[in-house]
Amino acid sequence: MNGDSLRNKKNGFETMDGGRSDIPRKSYGGKIVCIAAILVAAVILIMNSAYEIKEQEQAVLITLGRAQAVTDPGLHFKIPFIQQVRKVNTTIQGFAIGYSTDDNVVNEDESLMITSDFNFIDVDFYVEYRYSDPVRALYASKNPLDILRNICQSCIRTIIGGYPVDDVLTTGKNEILAAIREKILAELEQQDIGIQLMNITIQDAEPPTTEVMEAFKAVETAKQGKETALNNANKYRNEQLPSAQARADGIIKDAEAQKTERINEATAQVARFNAMYQEYIKNPAVTRQRMFYEAMEDVLPGLKVIIESPGGSLQTIYPIEPFTAGSDNGSVEDGTDSSNGYGSNPDNSDRGAAPENGNRTSSQDDQKD
């Protein structure tokens, strides 16, 4: 049958069955499969040639083992099967030291530390970081996060070991955190693992046992009482100092006033003495007697002087009042007349003569008046 068909074809004749029985035909199903395979391969190539970088990401483009950072967000292209892309999250992330963030369970292997005064204490920290260099973060070390954790623990223990327990628990936290941060930054700069420290904080600090914790609380309460007493004392001092200063200023001003008064009085007395001395130079005897009588007027204002004769009989009575008060008292006891400042004298025949005992005469009184 096949021979007849070939012979007829040679002679220009065709078979009546349209050539379907013996002539082999090309399959259309194979073409469809090939086209589908080509389309799938094209889609795969297109998908592998494009990648997207988000705002909080950076990428590392690897071309035959050579890494290059791609930091611009958006859609980028690469050569399929030749270039590879690895993405790094650059948002701020964190981890805890001394406790678990999932169940808040204390990890004593990380939190238990010793201070400079040989006390044990539990301190918890939280570290915040971000990837600053994606290439260094991927290829500078196998696990940069573990390196950062070890650096933080080492720096924390070193700094805590240099402070007493009271500073760690109370007033020294800010200074301790600043020292820890500075030391961690120096270590990260030296290691250069592509990670940047953003922040580190102390979450909690307390003694390791309940008994020690109670003792520290008692000590802290006593310290607060001490601070309260000091504040009250300073308040009282601030209240009392102004009034005491005012009193002191008043005393000083009074003393200065008295000083000025004494100086003025002394100056006046000096001037009076100089004036009196000038009069004394002119008439020494009269001035000396006048000074004596004035002194007696000041010292003995209420005294009456009785002058007796050498034989003991009453001679003269001198009242002091006319010299002191200038009164017009014309008589004294025993009826003597003292209008001229002298008492009666039975032998007063010569009033100009001076008595034997040095008493002043009428001429001396006239000079004084």
Side-chain angles (χ1 to χ4, degrees):
M1 188 71 178
N2 292 333
D4 294 335
S5 297
L6 292 174
R7 191 168 46 252
N8 290 333
K9 213 168 189 185
K10 275 181 166 186
N11 295 327
F13 299 101
E14 294 184 3
T15 57
M16 297 300 297
D17 54 1
R20 288 180 299 176
S21 59
D22 297 325
I23 299 175
R25 294 184 306 167
K26 190 173 182 180
S27 175
Y28 291 100
K31 292 181 179 180
I32 295 174
V33 171
C34 291
I35 293 172
I38 292 172
L39 291 176
V40 170
V43 170
I44 292 174
L45 290 175
I46 292 173
M47 292 181 64
N48 286 332
S49 62
Y51 62 94
E52 182 183 5
I53 300 177
K54 299 179 180 180
E55 287 288 340
Q56 67 274 14
E57 292 180 340
Q58 290 185 3
V60 177
L61 182 63
I62 305 169
T63 305
L64 299 177
R66 181 180 178 182
Q68 179 183 359
V70 181
T71 59
D72 297 332
L75 186 63
H76 299 268
F77 295 93
K78 66 181 181 66
I79 301 175
F81 307 109
I82 296 177
Q83 292 180 325
Q84 297 179 355
V85 176
R86 296 182 64 181
K87 298 179 182 180
V88 176
N89 186 4
T90 58
T91 57
I92 297 177
Q93 306 176 62
F95 59 86
I97 296 178
Y99 69 99
S100 175
T101 55
D102 297 333
D103 49 10
N104 203 25
V105 176
V106 176
N107 185 359
E108 292 188 354
D109 293 338
E110 295 180 352
S111 64
L112 188 61
M113 305 178 191
I114 188 171
T115 59
S116 62
D117 51 357
F118 305 105
N119 285 303
F120 288 97
I121 187 172
D122 282 329
V123 188
D124 301 332
F125 290 85
Y126 190 79
V127 181
E128 294 178 327
Y129 69 94
R130 63 181 291 271
Y131 290 102
S132 58
D133 188 345
V135 177
R136 302 293 301 174
L138 292 175
Y139 294 102
S141 61
K142 184 177 181 180
N143 195 337
L145 192 58
D146 288 345
I147 296 175
L148 176 61
R149 180 183 290 272
N150 293 333
I151 290 175
C152 291
Q153 291 184 9
S154 175
C155 295
I156 288 171
R157 292 183 181 277
T158 301
I159 300 301
I160 293 292
Y163 285 84
V165 66
D166 291 340
D167 292 346
V168 180
L169 289 175
T170 56
T171 59
K173 290 183 179 180
N174 293 332
E175 182 179 353
I176 290 172
L177 281 176
I180 291 174
R181 178 182 174 85
E182 184 178 356
K183 190 170 182 62
I184 292 175
L185 290 175
E187 290 291 334
L188 287 177
E189 184 178 359
Q190 183 178 359
Q191 296 294 331
D192 193 17
I193 56 176
I195 294 181
Q196 179 184 1
L197 178 69
M198 303 303 296
N199 192 22
I200 181 170
T201 56
I202 295 179
Q203 298 298 311
D204 194 12
E206 59 184 12
T209 61
T210 305
E211 293 80 4
V212 178
M213 187 183 302
E214 294 297 330
F216 274 107
K217 288 182 179 179
V219 172
E220 186 63 26
T221 302
K223 287 182 178 180
Q224 292 178 358
K226 173 186 174 183
E227 294 294 332
T228 302
L230 288 175
N231 293 333
N232 292 333
N234 291 330
K235 179 181 177 182
Y236 179 76
R237 181 187 64 181
N238 295 332
E239 291 175 351
Q240 294 299 321
L241 279 179
S243 59
Q245 187 65 38
R247 291 194 297 270
D249 293 340
I251 294 172
I252 292 174
K253 290 180 179 179
D254 291 341
E256 291 177 350
Q258 293 181 6
K259 172 186 173 183
T260 304
E261 182 180 357
R262 293 292 181 85
I263 291 174
N264 295 334
E265 182 180 356
T267 303
Q269 290 179 357
V270 169
R272 180 171 175 269
F273 178 80
N274 291 332
M276 188 178 295
Y277 181 70
Q278 297 296 328
E279 296 297 327
Y280 176 79
I281 293 174
K282 296 177 182 178
N283 196 346
V286 174
T287 306
R288 184 166 53 249
Q289 289 181 358
R290 183 176 179 180
M291 292 173 61
F292 171 76
Y293 290 128
E294 288 178 353
M296 293 303 294
E297 290 175 358
D298 294 336
V299 176
L300 304 172
L303 182 65
K304 294 182 180 181
V305 179
I306 299 175
I307 301 176
E308 295 181 356
S309 64
S313 61
L314 180 62
Q315 184 84 9
T316 307
I317 298 176
Y318 282 89
I320 300 301
E321 288 84 352
F323 299 105
T324 59
S327 64
D328 296 333
N329 187 7
S331 61
V332 294
E333 294 180 359
D334 71 0
T336 58
D337 185 8
S338 59
S339 60
N340 58 356
Y342 292 90
S344 63
N345 188 355
D347 297 331
N348 194 9
S349 61
D350 188 4
R351 298 181 61 184
E356 294 179 357
N357 56 358
N359 294 320
R360 67 178 181 176
T361 63
S362 60
S363 62
Q364 294 171 347
D365 291 338
D366 293 336
Q367 291 176 359
K368 180 178 184 297
D369 295 332

